[in-house]
Amino acid sequence: MADDTTPLLTEQLNSNVSLRSQTSSKEFSGSENIDYRRIKPNEKSSKSHLALAIIACILGSPLQIGLNTAILNAPEEVIKEFYNETYFDRYNDFMSDSLLTMLWAITVAFFCVGGMIGGVSAAYFAGKYGRKSTLLLNNAVAFTCAALQGCSKVSKSFEMLIAGRVVAGICCGLNSAVAPLYLAEISPVSLRGFCGTCNQLSITLGVLIGEVIGMKQLLGTEAFWPILVASPAIPAIYSLATLTFCPESPKYLLVNKGDDDAAEAALIWLRKTQDVSEEMEAMRKERVELRNSPKFSVMDLWRTSELRWPLIICIVLQMSQQFSGINAVIYYSTSIFGSAGLSKESSQYATVGTGAVNVMMTFVSALIMDRAGRRTLHMIGLGGMCIFSIVLVVCLSLQSTLPWLSYISIVAVIIYIIFFATGPGAIPWFMVAEMFAQSPRTAAVGVSVVVNWLCNFTVGIVFPILQKAIETYSFLPFSVMLLLFFIFTYMFVPETKGKSISEITRLFKSPTVGSSVNDLPESDISYESLRNRYSTQVLIIDPPGIDETPEYSIQTSGTSEKVEFQ
């Protein structure tokens, strides 16, 4: 029987899987015992270079997203006065309140229109020029938006400010899609969740910085607000000064460009070790699979049954992030706190406090993401936000008769932010990457980016009108949607923690005839249990990489399944 098994094993190894000699040894005997032993490399890798690349990325590109999101919040009234003065200089009359409200809503929301444009085009630029190069080239867009926004006052043109917001959105849309991709492709599997959350952490840090420098005591004044809206140029300069010296994504170099030598050099720099053969072989395998896989368009995702449902889940997750009402808090938190009875100065301090809480809780979320699980944290976040959005509505409605409730409303907003950072803040973005294989992933990410920015646009344009129409009840629609998203997540969203991409995608496929590894309890997934269950059909063992778990391949009736060893 050993003579029958060995040729098939060799054939599979040559066509599908490359086994690394430094991580395993193979022994075949007449009794068909297979003994695999991991041999630890003599050279230990270091994460210092990886940390430098991550910091260069997140403090350059994602930081711009948070900064551009928050810089108009605190100086809202000052910039509205500029709108009115400009209008008066032109027409010798002031704007009506309704026109001013609409123009301000357009100023806020057109940032999201640009975000959709940038998000849609991200796949093209990232594929043609590379992840790192796209991020660096995008800084030219950042400088353009800074110039438009910063020169709007001296040009006496609020249209220039609105145009600058659109360009800023294009810049941030590109960053929102490409930066997480770069972080995911330079990071080992064991740090995938942490690095995905670092992206969101940088965005929240940008929001906090924007809220701090936008205070009246700093740049949120009539004289200095043009400097404030030009400030996103600073992280763009930082990006050029640091990311330039970091390598391109090794996966892009090998899988997309076919440059094995450049990919290996990049990986050696990132891991700070010469022993990168395991990751190189894994990427070569992915390149072969990608070449043999069909290209997927957005319509293909809808037509293919096993892709349609994960796409729907990803769309709903993106909606749950934006329709949770979080950007209503970020865009209009100062006015919300003003409605709670705080003075303008106190409202700005409270806004900064919520930003600080968001940063701290996003950092905590990064630490527990790979332990608690994505689905669990997302449900906790949605449930907590639903409860405290209702508390906020009640407090705002009754504070005229019970003034002390204004303080409870501030606490409710802060706890609401805590629950957002716990789950919906980061999880929707890397869930989409985890639920799709390499071939359909680009199309799925493109759809997710567009949906996210479209929902962001809707909130930005609708909330000020909603707030003017129903006042203290303006958060009630978000409460209802949060409840619906919680129910959807509980019923339909799978847990992806600790699962390989192949295991996750298999959850959405139609059941196959015969027994499957999915029938085995997780505790029973081991070599012995698989060999006992499938007799001699356990033909291939894909040995583990440094940051991976082993995968056993089971050959049954011409098809193969892979399962991670736990």
Side-chain angles (χ1 to χ4, degrees):
M1 184 67 71
D3 293 336
D4 296 332
T5 304
T6 305
L8 180 55
L9 175 61
T10 305
E11 179 182 353
Q12 291 280 8
L13 290 176
N14 290 335
S15 60
N16 292 321
V17 182
S18 296
L19 298 180
R20 278 72 71 190
S21 60
Q22 69 270 24
T23 58
S24 63
S25 63
K26 300 183 274 291
E27 294 179 8
F28 295 88
S29 66
S31 59
E32 297 183 334
N33 290 326
I34 302 178
D35 182 22
Y36 275 64
R37 303 182 183 90
R38 288 194 61 177
I39 300 177
K40 296 182 178 179
N42 294 327
E43 182 183 9
K44 291 185 178 180
S45 62
S46 170
K47 293 183 173 62
S48 59
H49 281 183
L50 175 64
L52 290 174
I54 291 173
I55 293 171
C57 177
I58 64 174
L59 294 185
S61 300
L63 194 74
Q64 296 177 37
I65 303 174
L67 200 55
N68 274 300
T69 300
I71 52 177
L72 296 187
N73 184 7
E76 176 182 342
E77 295 302 322
V78 174
I79 299 177
K80 282 182 176 179
E81 288 178 10
F82 160 69
Y83 278 27
N84 239 331
E85 290 171 3
T86 303
Y87 190 87
F88 184 85
D89 289 341
R90 293 178 184 177
Y91 306 108
N92 201 30
D93 192 14
F94 289 108
M95 290 183 184
S96 64
D97 288 342
S98 59
L99 178 59
L100 183 59
T101 300
M102 178 57 69
L103 267 180
W104 185 251
I106 289 173
T107 304
V108 172
F110 270 33
F111 172 67
C112 306
V113 174
M116 285 185 278
I117 297 171
V120 169
S121 59
Y124 169 79
F125 288 107
K128 183 175 178 62
Y129 300 107
R131 286 61 160 137
K132 169 193 164 183
S133 298
T134 298
L135 292 174
L136 290 175
L137 291 171
N138 195 33
N139 291 317
V141 184
F143 293 136
T144 302
C145 81
L148 284 170
Q149 294 180 151
C151 296
S152 58
K153 182 181 180 182
V154 70
S155 302
K156 296 184 178 181
S157 171
F158 54 76
E159 294 88 353
M160 187 178 288
L161 179 60
I162 295 172
R165 295 299 292 170
V166 176
V167 177
I170 294 172
C171 173
C172 293
L174 281 163
N175 284 335
S176 69
V178 181
L181 187 61
Y182 179 75
L183 290 171
E185 292 183 354
I186 67 172
S187 303
V189 175
S190 61
L191 295 176
R192 188 175 63 189
F194 175 80
C195 291
T197 312
C198 279
N199 180 72
Q200 180 65 22
L201 178 64
S202 179
I203 295 174
T204 60
L205 181 61
V207 170
L208 176 60
I209 293 172
E211 290 170 345
V212 170
I213 64 177
M215 294 178 65
K216 191 175 181 179
Q217 292 82 351
L218 297 174
L219 299 179
T221 64
E222 183 179 355
F224 294 120
W225 70 261
I227 299 175
L228 172 66
V229 295
S231 61
I234 296 174
I237 294 171
Y238 171 85
S239 177
L240 290 173
T242 56
L243 191 61
T244 303
F245 302 100
C246 296
E248 178 58 87
S249 157
K251 183 173 288 188
Y252 169 78
L253 292 171
L254 192 145
V255 176
N256 294 69
K257 305 298 288 185
D259 192 339
D260 291 46
D261 293 338
E264 185 173 15
L267 206 54
I268 288 171
W269 188 93
L270 288 166
R271 302 295 179 261
K272 209 175 179 180
T273 176
Q274 298 289 325
D275 186 17
V276 295
S277 56
E278 293 180 3
E279 289 189 75
M280 287 294 295
E281 290 303 325
M283 290 191 294
R284 289 190 182 105
K285 177 184 174 183
E286 183 175 346
R287 178 172 62 187
V288 172
E289 292 175 347
L290 186 61
R291 288 175 178 174
N292 295 331
S293 300
K295 301 294 182 182
F296 285 88
S297 66
V298 173
M299 293 308 298
D300 292 328
L301 299 181
W302 288 108
R303 295 190 189 106
T304 309
S305 58
E306 62 262 29
L307 298 178
R308 187 185 308 118
W309 190 239
L311 180 65
I312 292 172
I313 290 175
C314 289
I315 289 173
V316 175
L317 288 177
Q318 297 295 339
M319 293 173 65
S320 72
Q321 184 191 74
Q322 295 301 326
F323 287 152
S324 66
I326 185 61
N327 277 336
V329 172
I330 294 174
Y331 291 146
Y332 304 105
S333 58
T334 302
S335 60
I336 290 171
F337 289 132
S339 300
L342 296 184
S343 65
K344 288 184 178 181
E345 186 174 347
S346 298
S347 296
Q348 288 188 350
Y349 284 121
T351 297
V352 171
T354 60
V357 168
N358 197 5
V359 171
M360 288 187 292
M361 287 307 303
T362 303
F363 180 74
V364 172
S365 177
L367 298 178
I368 65 175
M369 187 66 65
D370 290 314
R371 299 180 183 179
R374 286 77 154 124
R375 177 177 178 271
T376 302
L377 289 177
H378 195 65
M379 288 178 60
I380 291 172
L382 292 174
M385 292 175 78
C386 180
I387 292 170
F388 283 94
S389 63
I390 295 173
V391 171
L392 178 62
V393 170
V394 172
C395 291
L396 292 176
S397 302
L398 299 179
Q399 68 179 5
S400 58
T401 55
L402 299 172
W404 56 270
L405 284 177
S406 61
Y407 299 102
I408 304 297
S409 65
I410 296 169
V411 173
V413 169
I414 293 173
I415 299 178
Y416 173 92
I417 292 286
I418 289 174
F419 279 108
F420 173 78
T422 300
I427 287 173
W429 284 115
F430 57 83
M431 279 282 281
V432 63
E434 291 180 331
M435 294 177 69
F436 290 92
Q438 183 72 20
S439 295
R441 188 178 299 150
T442 299
V445 169
V447 172
S448 296
V449 169
V450 172
V451 169
N452 189 280
W453 282 102
L454 180 60
C455 295
N456 195 339
F457 169 79
T458 304
V459 172
I461 201 79
V462 170
F463 183 76
I465 301 172
L466 193 68
Q467 191 179 30
K468 199 173 186 66
I470 59 177
E471 297 179 346
T472 57
Y473 297 98
S474 56
F475 268 84
L476 204 54
F478 296 126
S479 304
V480 175
M481 286 187 283
L482 283 164
L483 178 60
L484 295 176
F485 292 135
F486 177 89
I487 295 171
F488 180 90
T489 303
Y490 176 77
M491 295 182 64
F492 302 114
V493 177
E495 179 57 74
T496 60
K497 176 182 73 90
K499 292 183 173 66
S500 66
I501 301 297
S502 59
E503 287 180 301
I504 297 167
T505 54
R506 192 162 57 241
L507 294 173
F508 300 102
K509 292 183 179 179
S510 302
T512 55
V513 178
S515 52
S516 166
V517 293
N518 286 326
D519 299 332
L520 284 171
E522 186 173 334
S523 59
D524 290 340
I525 299 178
S526 64
Y527 174 76
E528 291 301 326
S529 63
L530 291 174
R531 187 169 179 82
N532 291 336
R533 184 183 179 94
Y534 291 93
S535 185
T536 59
Q537 293 173 327
V538 181
L539 301 179
I540 306 170
I541 299 177
D542 187 9
I546 295 174
D547 299 303
E548 300 172 352
T549 52
E551 286 186 344
Y552 295 108
S553 180
I554 302 166
Q555 187 82 14
T556 54
S557 304
T559 62
S560 64
E561 296 179 331
K562 284 187 178 179
V563 58
E564 285 188 356
F565 172 74
Q566 302 291 335

mmCIF file of all heavy atoms in Angstrom, residues 130-158:
data_model
loop_
_atom_site.group_PDB
_atom_site.id
_atom_site.type_symbol
_atom_site.label_atom_id
_atom_site.label_comp_id
_atom_site.label_asym_id
_atom_site.label_seq_id
_atom_site.Cartn_x
_atom_site.Cartn_y
_atom_site.Cartn_z
ATOM 1 N N GLY A 130 0.838 48.804 -7.433
ATOM 2 C CA GLY A 130 1.263 48.218 -6.173
ATOM 3 C C GLY A 130 0.645 48.926 -4.987
ATOM 4 O O GLY A 130 0.167 50.054 -5.090
ATOM 5 N N ARG A 131 0.650 48.247 -3.841
ATOM 6 C CA ARG A 131 0.014 48.801 -2.634
ATOM 7 C C ARG A 131 0.796 50.009 -2.110
ATOM 8 O O ARG A 131 0.231 51.090 -1.887
ATOM 9 C CB ARG A 131 -0.064 47.733 -1.553
ATOM 10 C CG ARG A 131 -1.103 46.647 -1.763
ATOM 11 C CD ARG A 131 -0.922 45.833 -3.002
ATOM 12 N NE ARG A 131 -1.625 44.563 -2.937
ATOM 13 C CZ ARG A 131 -2.331 44.068 -3.949
ATOM 14 N NH1 ARG A 131 -2.478 44.734 -5.075
ATOM 15 N NH2 ARG A 131 -2.890 42.873 -3.847
ATOM 16 N N LYS A 132 2.084 49.819 -1.888
ATOM 17 C CA LYS A 132 2.909 50.901 -1.358
ATOM 18 C C LYS A 132 2.955 52.093 -2.322
ATOM 19 O O LYS A 132 2.778 53.247 -1.902
ATOM 20 C CB LYS A 132 4.319 50.379 -1.096
ATOM 21 C CG LYS A 132 5.347 51.467 -0.792
ATOM 22 C CD LYS A 132 6.755 50.914 -0.868
ATOM 23 C CE LYS A 132 7.770 52.041 -0.967
ATOM 24 N NZ LYS A 132 9.146 51.542 -1.102
ATOM 25 N N SER A 133 3.145 51.831 -3.586
ATOM 26 C CA SER A 133 3.253 52.919 -4.567
ATOM 27 C C SER A 133 1.948 53.704 -4.663
ATOM 28 O O SER A 133 1.959 54.936 -4.813
ATOM 29 C CB SER A 133 3.633 52.353 -5.938
ATOM 30 O OG SER A 133 4.898 51.725 -5.884
ATOM 31 N N THR A 134 0.816 53.009 -4.567
ATOM 32 C CA THR A 134 -0.482 53.698 -4.604
ATOM 33 C C THR A 134 -0.633 54.627 -3.408
ATOM 34 O O THR A 134 -1.096 55.773 -3.544
ATOM 35 C CB THR A 134 -1.631 52.682 -4.633
ATOM 36 O OG1 THR A 134 -1.525 51.887 -5.820
ATOM 37 C CG2 THR A 134 -2.979 53.379 -4.622
ATOM 38 N N LEU A 135 -0.236 54.139 -2.232
ATOM 39 C CA LEU A 135 -0.320 54.975 -1.032
ATOM 40 C C LEU A 135 0.579 56.204 -1.156
ATOM 41 O O LEU A 135 0.198 57.308 -0.750
ATOM 42 C CB LEU A 135 0.065 54.162 0.203
ATOM 43 C CG LEU A 135 -0.897 53.034 0.606
ATOM 44 C CD1 LEU A 135 -0.326 52.225 1.763
ATOM 45 C CD2 LEU A 135 -2.264 53.589 0.970
ATOM 46 N N LEU A 136 1.760 56.017 -1.722
ATOM 47 C CA LEU A 136 2.669 57.151 -1.874
ATOM 48 C C LEU A 136 2.156 58.145 -2.914
ATOM 49 O O LEU A 136 2.182 59.362 -2.689
ATOM 50 C CB LEU A 136 4.058 56.644 -2.275
ATOM 51 C CG LEU A 136 4.850 55.888 -1.196
ATOM 52 C CD1 LEU A 136 6.146 55.326 -1.758
ATOM 53 C CD2 LEU A 136 5.141 56.783 -0.003
ATOM 54 N N LEU A 137 1.685 57.641 -4.051
ATOM 55 C CA LEU A 137 1.151 58.530 -5.091
ATOM 56 C C LEU A 137 -0.096 59.265 -4.617
ATOM 57 O O LEU A 137 -0.352 60.407 -5.018
ATOM 58 C CB LEU A 137 0.836 57.717 -6.347
ATOM 59 C CG LEU A 137 2.040 57.162 -7.120
ATOM 60 C CD1 LEU A 137 1.581 56.201 -8.206
ATOM 61 C CD2 LEU A 137 2.858 58.299 -7.727
ATOM 62 N N ASN A 138 -0.864 58.613 -3.747
ATOM 63 C CA ASN A 138 -2.090 59.225 -3.247
ATOM 64 C C ASN A 138 -1.817 60.465 -2.405
ATOM 65 O O ASN A 138 -2.703 61.296 -2.203
ATOM 66 C CB ASN A 138 -2.880 58.193 -2.426
ATOM 67 C CG ASN A 138 -4.303 58.627 -2.184
ATOM 68 O OD1 ASN A 138 -4.925 59.297 -3.001
ATOM 69 N ND2 ASN A 138 -4.841 58.240 -1.042
ATOM 70 N N ASN A 139 -0.592 60.601 -1.926
ATOM 71 C CA ASN A 139 -0.248 61.799 -1.159
ATOM 72 C C ASN A 139 -0.322 63.058 -2.010
ATOM 73 O O ASN A 139 -0.544 64.158 -1.483
ATOM 74 C CB ASN A 139 1.146 61.647 -0.539
ATOM 75 C CG ASN A 139 1.183 60.605 0.564
ATOM 76 O OD1 ASN A 139 0.278 60.552 1.398
ATOM 77 N ND2 ASN A 139 2.194 59.766 0.562
ATOM 78 N N ALA A 140 -0.146 62.915 -3.319
ATOM 79 C CA ALA A 140 -0.315 64.067 -4.210
ATOM 80 C C ALA A 140 -1.761 64.550 -4.177
ATOM 81 O O ALA A 140 -2.030 65.760 -4.225
ATOM 82 C CB ALA A 140 0.088 63.700 -5.638
ATOM 83 N N VAL A 141 -2.700 63.612 -4.068
ATOM 84 C CA VAL A 141 -4.121 63.974 -3.933
ATOM 85 C C VAL A 141 -4.348 64.670 -2.597
ATOM 86 O O VAL A 141 -5.117 65.638 -2.505
ATOM 87 C CB VAL A 141 -5.016 62.718 -4.060
ATOM 88 C CG1 VAL A 141 -6.495 63.102 -4.014
ATOM 89 C CG2 VAL A 141 -4.710 61.963 -5.345
ATOM 90 N N ALA A 142 -3.657 64.200 -1.553
ATOM 91 C CA ALA A 142 -3.778 64.822 -0.226
ATOM 92 C C ALA A 142 -3.295 66.268 -0.253
ATOM 93 O O ALA A 142 -3.917 67.161 0.345
ATOM 94 C CB ALA A 142 -2.988 64.017 0.804
ATOM 95 N N PHE A 143 -2.203 66.524 -0.945
ATOM 96 C CA PHE A 143 -1.697 67.902 -1.047
ATOM 97 C C PHE A 143 -2.665 68.788 -1.825
ATOM 98 O O PHE A 143 -2.847 69.963 -1.509
ATOM 99 C CB PHE A 143 -0.328 67.907 -1.714
ATOM 100 C CG PHE A 143 0.749 67.259 -0.893
ATOM 101 C CD1 PHE A 143 1.661 66.391 -1.478
ATOM 102 C CD2 PHE A 143 0.859 67.501 0.466
ATOM 103 C CE1 PHE A 143 2.644 65.785 -0.727
ATOM 104 C CE2 PHE A 143 1.846 66.900 1.232
ATOM 105 C CZ PHE A 143 2.745 66.036 0.634
ATOM 106 N N THR A 144 -3.316 68.211 -2.846
ATOM 107 C CA THR A 144 -4.291 68.968 -3.638
ATOM 108 C C THR A 144 -5.488 69.380 -2.783
ATOM 109 O O THR A 144 -5.931 70.539 -2.823
ATOM 110 C CB THR A 144 -4.771 68.138 -4.841
ATOM 111 O OG1 THR A 144 -3.640 67.764 -5.640
ATOM 112 C CG2 THR A 144 -5.750 68.933 -5.694
ATOM 113 N N CYS A 145 -6.009 68.436 -2.003
ATOM 114 C CA CYS A 145 -7.172 68.760 -1.163
ATOM 115 C C CYS A 145 -6.792 69.759 -0.074
ATOM 116 O O CYS A 145 -7.574 70.647 0.271
ATOM 117 C CB CYS A 145 -7.784 67.499 -0.563
ATOM 118 S SG CYS A 145 -6.969 66.842 0.893
ATOM 119 N N ALA A 146 -5.577 69.650 0.463
ATOM 120 C CA ALA A 146 -5.126 70.609 1.481
ATOM 121 C C ALA A 146 -5.034 72.016 0.899
ATOM 122 O O ALA A 146 -5.414 73.000 1.546
ATOM 123 C CB ALA A 146 -3.777 70.181 2.047
ATOM 124 N N ALA A 147 -4.564 72.114 -0.342
ATOM 125 C CA ALA A 147 -4.453 73.423 -0.991
ATOM 126 C C ALA A 147 -5.839 74.022 -1.257
ATOM 127 O O ALA A 147 -6.069 75.220 -1.018
ATOM 128 C CB ALA A 147 -3.672 73.287 -2.299
ATOM 129 N N LEU A 148 -6.756 73.215 -1.751
ATOM 130 C CA LEU A 148 -8.105 73.709 -2.037
ATOM 131 C C LEU A 148 -8.795 74.188 -0.768
ATOM 132 O O LEU A 148 -9.387 75.278 -0.725
ATOM 133 C CB LEU A 148 -8.938 72.608 -2.709
ATOM 134 C CG LEU A 148 -8.640 72.324 -4.183
ATOM 135 C CD1 LEU A 148 -9.361 71.051 -4.631
ATOM 136 C CD2 LEU A 148 -9.074 73.502 -5.048
ATOM 137 N N GLN A 149 -8.737 73.373 0.277
ATOM 138 C CA GLN A 149 -9.421 73.717 1.520
ATOM 139 C C GLN A 149 -8.742 74.893 2.222
ATOM 140 O O GLN A 149 -9.404 75.801 2.730
ATOM 141 C CB GLN A 149 -9.466 72.491 2.449
ATOM 142 C CG GLN A 149 -10.315 71.362 1.905
ATOM 143 C CD GLN A 149 -10.367 70.153 2.832
ATOM 144 O OE1 GLN A 149 -11.336 69.418 2.841
ATOM 145 N NE2 GLN A 149 -9.324 69.920 3.614
ATOM 146 N N GLY A 150 -7.411 74.859 2.226
ATOM 147 C CA GLY A 150 -6.680 75.905 2.935
ATOM 148 C C GLY A 150 -6.777 77.279 2.280
ATOM 149 O O GLY A 150 -6.690 78.300 2.969
ATOM 150 N N CYS A 151 -6.977 77.303 0.955
ATOM 151 C CA CYS A 151 -7.033 78.580 0.226
ATOM 152 C C CYS A 151 -8.456 79.080 0.002
ATOM 153 O O CYS A 151 -8.652 80.113 -0.667
ATOM 154 C CB CYS A 151 -6.326 78.443 -1.117
ATOM 155 S SG CYS A 151 -4.558 78.109 -0.983
ATOM 156 N N SER A 152 -9.444 78.379 0.518
ATOM 157 C CA SER A 152 -10.841 78.746 0.252
ATOM 158 C C SER A 152 -11.207 80.093 0.866
ATOM 159 O O SER A 152 -11.943 80.881 0.261
ATOM 160 C CB SER A 152 -11.791 77.659 0.773
ATOM 161 O OG SER A 152 -11.606 77.461 2.159
ATOM 162 N N LYS A 153 -10.679 80.393 2.057
ATOM 163 C CA LYS A 153 -11.036 81.659 2.702
ATOM 164 C C LYS A 153 -10.420 82.848 1.985
ATOM 165 O O LYS A 153 -11.099 83.838 1.686
ATOM 166 C CB LYS A 153 -10.611 81.644 4.163
ATOM 167 C CG LYS A 153 -11.010 82.923 4.897
ATOM 168 C CD LYS A 153 -10.569 82.923 6.347
ATOM 169 C CE LYS A 153 -10.999 84.226 7.037
ATOM 170 N NZ LYS A 153 -10.549 84.279 8.442
ATOM 171 N N VAL A 154 -9.122 82.739 1.681
ATOM 172 C CA VAL A 154 -8.461 83.849 1.016
ATOM 173 C C VAL A 154 -9.024 84.064 -0.390
ATOM 174 O O VAL A 154 -9.016 85.171 -0.923
ATOM 175 C CB VAL A 154 -6.927 83.620 0.968
ATOM 176 C CG1 VAL A 154 -6.570 82.495 0.007
ATOM 177 C CG2 VAL A 154 -6.195 84.900 0.594
ATOM 178 N N SER A 155 -9.578 82.998 -0.977
ATOM 179 C CA SER A 155 -10.202 83.108 -2.302
ATOM 180 C C SER A 155 -11.663 83.517 -2.215
ATOM 181 O O SER A 155 -12.308 83.715 -3.258
ATOM 182 C CB SER A 155 -10.094 81.761 -3.031
ATOM 183 O OG SER A 155 -8.758 81.352 -3.160
ATOM 184 N N LYS A 156 -12.197 83.596 -0.974
ATOM 185 C CA LYS A 156 -13.598 83.941 -0.745
ATOM 186 C C LYS A 156 -14.531 83.033 -1.555
ATOM 187 O O LYS A 156 -15.443 83.481 -2.247
ATOM 188 C CB LYS A 156 -13.867 85.405 -1.086
ATOM 189 C CG LYS A 156 -13.109 86.381 -0.195
ATOM 190 C CD LYS A 156 -13.466 87.832 -0.498
ATOM 191 C CE LYS A 156 -12.731 88.780 0.445
ATOM 192 N NZ LYS A 156 -13.064 90.201 0.191
ATOM 193 N N SER A 157 -14.282 81.722 -1.417
ATOM 194 C CA SER A 157 -15.047 80.742 -2.190
ATOM 195 C C SER A 157 -15.344 79.525 -1.324
ATOM 196 O O SER A 157 -14.453 78.711 -1.068
ATOM 197 C CB SER A 157 -14.266 80.329 -3.443
ATOM 198 O OG SER A 157 -14.888 79.237 -4.087
ATOM 199 N N PHE A 158 -16.601 79.411 -0.874
ATOM 200 C CA PHE A 158 -16.963 78.192 -0.148
ATOM 201 C C PHE A 158 -17.077 77.013 -1.112
ATOM 202 O O PHE A 158 -17.009 75.855 -0.700
ATOM 203 C CB PHE A 158 -18.257 78.373 0.662
ATOM 204 C CG PHE A 158 -19.438 78.861 -0.110
ATOM 205 C CD1 PHE A 158 -20.149 78.023 -0.944
ATOM 206 C CD2 PHE A 158 -19.865 80.185 0.021
ATOM 207 C CE1 PHE A 158 -21.266 78.476 -1.641
ATOM 208 C CE2 PHE A 158 -20.970 80.646 -0.672
ATOM 209 C CZ PHE A 158 -21.678 79.796 -1.512
#
